[in-house]
Amino acid sequence: MTELAENTSSEGAGDLKAWIAPDRTALCVIDIQVDFAAPDGLLAGFGVDMSAVPAAIAKTESLIAAARKAGVPVIFIGLSTSPETDSPSWGEWMRRRHGDPEAESNVCRAGSPGAAFYGPQPQPGDRVVLKPKYSAFYGTDFADVLCDAGVDTLVVCGLTTECCVDCTVRDAFHRDYHVFIADDACAAYGADVHEAALQSLELNCAILKKTADIQGAWEN
């Protein structure tokens, strides 16, 4: 990553095409899984407002198609939980805020239908990273995957903006990756939560771009 990072200083301000060039960038698709995105998934069954999700998935599918055409590596990231990886502190946090940790800990259980990717699917050549918690870097080989890909820049999309997208973006920034968020290819279960998360990320560690702008930068 060092050689790529050194080249950053020679780039013109606002040159998105150079910033997210295919030879330095990976597209990271976060947690678009049945339990988080499908009408019959766990969260929909809890009565969560899923109305923003379909549009974000459609934008993500467009991004994936553009990335594959440009030769940008596509990395699918998904939550995969088990009783062995359940967090005692998370369970206690849920109890203290009057949640139901017994029910909600069943989200994206490894091997269950709810853990399957929903909508866009990995294809041969795509990498898949399964994580036990919010950040793609926690308890995974994600850092090694990025190192193997030889990238210093991430374009991030998926679910949900304020949780797993947020945690992954911040961890990537702390590891000195350049991070771009396709803001219309992300969603939260509430427009206010989505917008607040994006505002915080833009203020602190990421650049927000529309899917169309990213696709345009990847066109030959």
Side-chain angles (χ1 to χ4, degrees), residues 15 22 24 45 57 114 120 168 182:
D15 189 357
R24 69 183 302 176
I57 292 177
T168 298

Side-chain angles (χ1 to χ4, degrees), residues 13-36:
D15 189 357
L16 183 62
K17 194 176 184 69
W19 287 350
I20 62 169
D23 63 350
R24 69 183 302 176
T25 304
L27 175 63
C28 304
V29 182
I30 298 180
D31 288 11
I32 302 184
Q33 295 166 272
V34 170
D35 275 345
F36 293 131

Side-chain angles (χ1 to χ4, degrees), residues 31-204:
D31 288 11
I32 302 184
Q33 295 166 272
V34 170
D35 275 345
F36 293 131
D40 58 349
L42 187 69
L43 293 195
F46 289 154
V48 170
D49 179 5
M50 312 290 286
S51 60
V53 172
I57 292 177
K59 293 292 187 181
T60 295
E61 289 174 329
S62 295
L63 269 180
I64 291 171
R68 287 176 174 149
K69 185 175 181 180
V72 174
V74 180
I75 304 172
F76 280 79
I77 298 158
L79 183 67
S80 180
T81 67
S82 69
E84 292 74 28
T85 61
D86 285 348
S87 167
S89 63
W90 183 89
E92 184 59 23
W93 167 71
M94 286 295 297
R95 280 186 285 272
R96 290 176 180 181
R97 61 197 296 268
H98 308 295
D100 185 351
E102 300 304 321
E104 294 194 36
S105 64
N106 289 322
V107 66
C108 293
R109 282 303 199 204
S112 72
F117 290 112
Y118 180 77
Q121 300 292 314
Q123 293 185 3
D126 296 340
R127 296 297 299 268
V128 174
V129 173
L130 299 179
K131 58 187 176 64
K133 293 190 177 181
Y134 298 154
S135 172
F137 289 94
Y138 182 86
T140 74
D141 64 348
F142 186 43
D144 293 334
V145 169
L146 295 176
C147 184
D148 291 345
V151 303
D152 71 346
T153 300
L154 307 182
V155 172
V156 179
C157 59
L159 307 175
T160 58
T161 317
E162 86 292 352
C163 189
C164 295
V165 170
D166 178 285
C167 289
T168 298
V169 166
R170 292 182 192 276
D171 274 0
F173 182 77
H174 294 156
R175 288 165 170 80
D176 286 333
Y177 287 94
H178 308 295
V179 188
F180 294 79
I181 300 173
D183 58 6
D184 55 352
C186 298
Y189 308 122
D192 56 339
V193 175
H194 171 73
E195 293 299 334
L198 289 176
Q199 183 179 24
S200 177
L201 288 166
E202 185 178 34
L203 282 170
N204 294 294

